[in-house]
Amino acid sequence: MNQDITGARASLRKAGGEPARRETGAPRATPEGAPAIAAESRSGRQPVPASMTIFGAGGDLTKRLVVPALRHLVRAGKLPDQFALIGVDHNDLTTEQWRRTLAETMKDSGADDAVDKDAWSWLVHRMHYMRGDFTEPETFKRLERLLKEQQARQGGAENVLFYLAVADRFFGPIVDQLGRAGLARQSENAWRRVIIEKPFGHDLASAKGLNARIREVLSEEQIYRIDHFLGKETVQNILVLRFANGIFEPLWNRDHIDHVQITAAETVGVEGRGRFYEQTGALRDMVPNHLFQLLAMIGMEPPISFAANAVRAKKTELLQAIHPIVPADAVRGQYGAGTVLGKEVRAYRYEPNVAADSATETYVALKLGIDNWRWAGVPFYLRTGKALAARTTQIAVQFRRAPYSLFRDTPVDRLPANILTLRIQPDEGLSVSFSAKRPGAEIEIDGVAMDFAYRDYFPPLASVGYETLIYDCLVGDATPFQRADTVEAAWCAVQGLLDAWEHAPGNDLHAYAAGSAGPDAADRLIARDGRAWRPIRSSHKRFEPSA
Ligand code: BG6
């Protein structure tokens, strides 16, 4: 079955056109006869002939995510027929060897059915490998020749997407070289775009420095800074949930919301990335990027349209409104030995390439305030960590409790709060908890929930999460990419905390057992406000009472 990876969005796009394809047996997302909603004018969203050059063609990211995503795009018919994929890396490989290594990875991932094979063979015929040093002008001269050859074959299409799937120290040098070789120059008939992977800087100064450096070569509209969380369907759905429904927005403010919790819990440890992680830590690795993107989408004001800059401006404003985070509102932790999902896990300090006395945090919990009219006084609690009890990324919006007075003379001693939980992954969906009368003569209240699970409504998509990102870049839609000011606003919000922690390394580093829900200090951080974290579970319970 040829799955349409953008199936859900297609129903939005096809306003007035042919009806969206539906899998038999699956309930319809839109009731019969309901008007389709045009999320934005999507005309011109079919990719034009182009070449894509991946720097870091032999790397893990290319193998695990970029090339599998391309294969899914082929399956979905979302790549232009005139397409070339050029891989550049330091290793001495032939095109044939490169193709074979990628094919092996593909087999390991089990993606091997007949349709996949067709998609793969479509792609293989368009793949070329070029050995080259990312810092040598010679590499870029040869690349220019190779691109010209491809362009000649594709009937002259000169559009090129450069994908920087390399270590961050190469971002600046590669963009410099693209500039020197004239490869970043656009013309009326040819666009040149550059996807830059994470991490974009390691603090505010380095992010600003990198922005300034690449802006000497590229205009902002040529730069596509990746935050892969924005490629997740459930993250993209946050804006649809908020702005395509009438029931949430009137309640979405300090008058009705008590607090918000954002959790990104992982069961994995550092997985052989000890060297990288020692320099990074949980705060840099997850907060100014992934967690802040979730925060921005939950908290932003409505944009005037879904155009990239309209959305990104509102997200940036929200991040700019974060109060400076003080150490008293932050907890850092590091995992010790323990058991995760039934498997014994060694302490972080025993991971390869990790110092025996490492003070790097593998867990962070924060309390944030947003300094604007909508959110004044509403705390946002964020937490993320490695080697925790379960893998779950979720946002819980807890509403203010109803007044109790009416129930004073009943057996009810407490009214639970309503909570809207957005399950970003796994078990994607959302639920709203509320109170219901337990059947019987007395007034007794029970907590119940309304639940929506993606799998009940939409066919599963073959996706590694990078499909939409690559596709959107090919069609020139920068909405799911970070703008320079967004990245800088995010670093700015955490810079004070980074400085404070650097000056007191390990002072307040709290140990937690691998497989637990994190350090006790994180529970105290939220308990001092009379609140409690949502439990960390991978499969959700239909109803989870508020604390
Ligand atoms: C990456 C971090 O950006 O995101 C990793 O560097 C982390 O440490 C990963 O594991 C989490 O992403 P996902 O999509 O697996 O939740």
Side-chain angles (χ1 to χ4, degrees):
M1 178 181 60
N2 188 357
Q3 289 185 340
D4 180 356
I5 64 129
T6 51
R9 296 172 72 196
S11 65
L12 294 183
R13 257 180 243 141
K14 291 181 178 171
E18 124 208 27
R21 183 178 59 80
R22 182 161 70 100
E23 298 299 311
T24 41
R28 276 189 93 100
T30 318
E32 206 74 54
I37 311 153
E40 63 175 291
S41 167
R42 298 283 185 168
S43 54
R45 275 188 61 93
Q46 205 48 38
V48 293
S51 301
M52 177 166 163
T53 299
I54 308 180
F55 292 97
D60 206 40
L61 183 73
T62 302
K63 285 186 205 150
R64 278 191 313 112
L65 298 168
V66 181
V67 172
L70 285 171
R71 199 195 63 218
H72 291 151
L73 286 172
V74 178
R75 280 184 69 147
K78 295 287 179 192
L79 289 186
D81 210 38
Q82 292 150 304
F83 180 78
L85 180 64
I86 297 175
V88 183
D89 215 328
H90 293 107
N91 313 340
D92 212 355
L93 293 179
T94 60
T95 290
E96 201 36 56
Q97 285 166 325
W98 185 50
R99 291 171 175 170
R100 234 181 293 133
T101 343
L102 291 169
E104 286 303 315
T105 322
M106 226 64 79
K107 248 190 237 144
D108 293 347
S109 73
D112 211 9
D113 66 23
V115 185
D116 267 315
K117 281 190 181 134
D118 285 353
W120 182 239
S121 104
W122 187 97
L123 202 55
V124 157
H125 286 102
R126 290 164 172 79
M127 284 166 67
H128 309 268
Y129 182 81
M130 197 192 99
R131 201 204 76 78
D133 187 317
F134 306 144
T135 56
E136 286 290 326
E138 156 66 14
T139 304
F140 295 79
K141 284 199 191 116
R142 283 190 291 122
L143 176 60
E144 189 184 10
R145 282 201 295 275
L146 190 51
L147 281 167
K148 286 226 166 87
E149 278 168 35
Q150 293 312 314
Q151 286 152 11
R153 265 188 230 157
Q154 292 170 20
E158 288 175 43
N159 305 312
V160 187
L161 161 56
F162 297 102
Y163 197 124
L164 274 49
V166 292
D168 57 337
R169 65 179 186 282
F170 290 116
F171 294 162
I174 291 178
V175 173
D176 288 349
Q177 295 292 349
L178 288 174
R180 263 181 230 140
L183 287 169
R185 208 174 304 127
Q186 307 200 91
S187 69
E188 225 172 84
N189 307 321
W191 50 253
R192 299 291 157 111
R193 296 176 189 145
V194 179
I195 292 187
I196 302 185
E197 264 295 336
K198 178 182 164 264
F200 197 92
H202 54 89
D203 58 11
L204 179 58
S206 57
K208 278 188 167 171
L210 183 56
N211 272 330
R213 183 170 179 181
I214 61 178
R215 285 298 307 272
E216 281 181 17
V217 175
L218 304 165
S219 64
E220 181 61 32
E221 48 103 27
Q222 289 179 279
I223 307 169
Y224 289 71
R225 296 173 193 80
I226 279 210
D227 182 316
H228 79 274
F229 263 46
L230 296 179
K232 295 182 193 287
E233 280 295 337
T234 43
V235 174
Q236 299 191 347
N237 183 46
I238 297 174
L239 294 194
V240 174
L241 174 80
R242 284 191 58 195
F243 303 128
N245 294 297
I247 58 171
F248 299 115
E249 207 47 27
L251 303 179
W252 215 253
N253 57 52
R254 61 197 298 268
D255 296 334
H256 301 283
I257 291 179
D258 176 73
H259 77 278
V260 177
Q261 293 185 21
I262 302 181
T263 302
E266 298 186 90
T267 47
V268 291
V270 287
E271 293 192 300
R273 294 197 306 159
R275 191 164 292 125
F276 159 82
Y277 207 79
E278 278 286 88
Q279 305 299 317
T280 309
L283 178 58
R284 284 189 169 90
D285 191 34
M286 294 291 289
V287 177
N289 33 65
H290 308 327
L291 262 55
F292 276 8
Q293 284 300 324
L294 300 181
L295 171 72
M297 290 171 104
I298 278 292
M300 68 192 266
E301 295 301 316
I304 55 163
S305 75
F306 275 116
N309 278 331
V311 173
R312 298 190 301 174
K314 293 299 178 196
K315 283 164 70 175
T316 306
E317 259 174 34
L318 190 283
L319 297 181
Q320 286 166 339
I322 299 174
H323 274 287
I325 309 166
V326 292
D329 286 339
V331 167
R332 52 177 158 167
Q334 189 189 76
Y335 65 84
T339 309
V340 179
L341 305 176
K343 274 204 193 128
E344 277 184 31
V345 168
R346 62 188 155 192
Y348 173 70
R349 288 180 185 179
Y350 289 95
E351 295 281 2
N353 299 314
V354 170
D357 59 351
S358 170
T360 302
E361 80 284 357
T362 59
Y363 176 99
V364 52
L366 305 171
K367 175 186 176 185
L368 299 183
I370 308 287
D371 229 348
N372 65 15
W373 189 268
R374 184 189 287 261
W375 295 119
V378 179
F380 285 74
Y381 300 96
L382 274 54
R383 64 182 162 159
T384 181
K386 301 265 184 209
L388 292 173
R391 173 171 178 256
T392 174
T393 302
Q394 59 161 261
I395 304 171
V397 179
Q398 181 159 328
F399 291 87
R400 288 183 186 276
R401 285 171 213 271
Y404 176 70
S405 53
L406 194 62
F407 295 88
R408 207 162 280 141
D409 298 326
T410 71
V412 176
D413 55 5
R414 194 171 162 274
L415 296 178
N418 301 111
I419 300 176
L420 170 65
T421 306
L422 283 75
R423 299 189 302 273
I424 304 296
Q425 63 185 22
D427 193 13
E428 291 78 2
L430 65 88
S431 67
V432 185
S433 69
F434 59 98
S435 298
K437 182 183 171 296
R438 179 186 280 274
E442 303 292 333
I443 293 211
E444 277 182 54
I445 284 184
D446 240 343
V448 296
M450 288 192 288
D451 196 76
F452 153 68
Y454 271 78
R455 61 168 182 273
D456 292 342
Y457 282 80
F458 305 113
L461 303 178
S463 164
V464 289
Y466 270 60
E467 292 79 358
T468 326
L469 297 172
I470 296 173
Y471 178 76
D472 280 356
C473 182
L474 285 170
V475 298
D477 181 355
T479 314
F481 295 88
Q482 304 216 68
R483 222 167 54 176
D485 53 354
T486 323
V487 173
E488 290 178 16
W491 279 118
C492 187
V494 296
Q495 190 59 54
L497 185 60
L498 285 173
D499 292 342
W501 279 0
E502 199 171 316
H503 289 127
N507 241 359
D508 45 8
L509 184 69
H510 299 272
Y512 63 97
S516 70
D520 296 344
D523 296 338
R524 292 196 292 274
L525 173 79
I526 190 165
R528 77 185 183 203
D529 298 337
R531 302 186 174 102
W533 293 110
R534 312 292 299 144
I536 291 186
R537 288 192 227 285
S538 47
S539 59
H540 82 285
K541 277 172 74 177
R542 289 192 62 205
F543 176 75
E544 197 83 70
S546 60

